[in-house]
Amino acid sequence: MLSLGFFAWIVIGGLAGWLGSKIMGTDEQQGLLMNIVVGVIGGLIGGMILGLVFDVESAGWFFSFLTCLLGSVILLWVVKKLTGSKS
């Protein structure tokens, strides 16, 4: 994931953050910027987790997207648990 350029981080992170917010039911609370932030941070989280098992650096765009999506869902789940949000 870190090998992707800045623009790729924004695009993949934004899409993964948006889809992750749809999955977790937080889409109404997030805007475009927050989706990007969640997706990029999710990419770091997913990369750390999946990096223990797979070579995430050379896996390609699709695997990078799935990594960001997984990390985004985990991040949003943790935030919902910490804030006590029911949505």
Side-chain angles (χ1 to χ4, degrees):
M1 180 68 181
L2 291 175
S3 64
L4 296 176
F6 179 75
F7 183 72
W9 272 85
I10 299 299
V11 172
I12 292 175
L15 289 173
W18 172 75
L19 191 56
S21 68
K22 289 286 191 185
I23 292 169
M24 295 303 294
T26 60
D27 190 47
E28 294 81 24
Q29 302 160 1
Q30 293 182 202
L32 175 65
L33 182 61
M34 194 62 169
N35 282 336
I36 293 170
V37 170
V38 166
V40 170
I41 294 173
L44 294 172
I45 293 170
M48 283 190 279
I49 293 170
L50 293 179
L52 299 173
V53 180
F54 301 106
D55 179 18
V56 295
E57 288 292 322
S58 62
W61 284 69
F62 184 71
F63 190 76
S64 293
F65 172 75
L66 293 178
T67 301
C68 289
L69 180 59
L70 173 69
S72 297
V73 169
I74 291 170
L75 175 62
L76 291 171
W77 180 80
V78 168
V79 168
K80 283 175 70 170
K81 290 297 180 187
L82 291 176
T83 61
S85 176
K86 301 283 188 220
S87 60

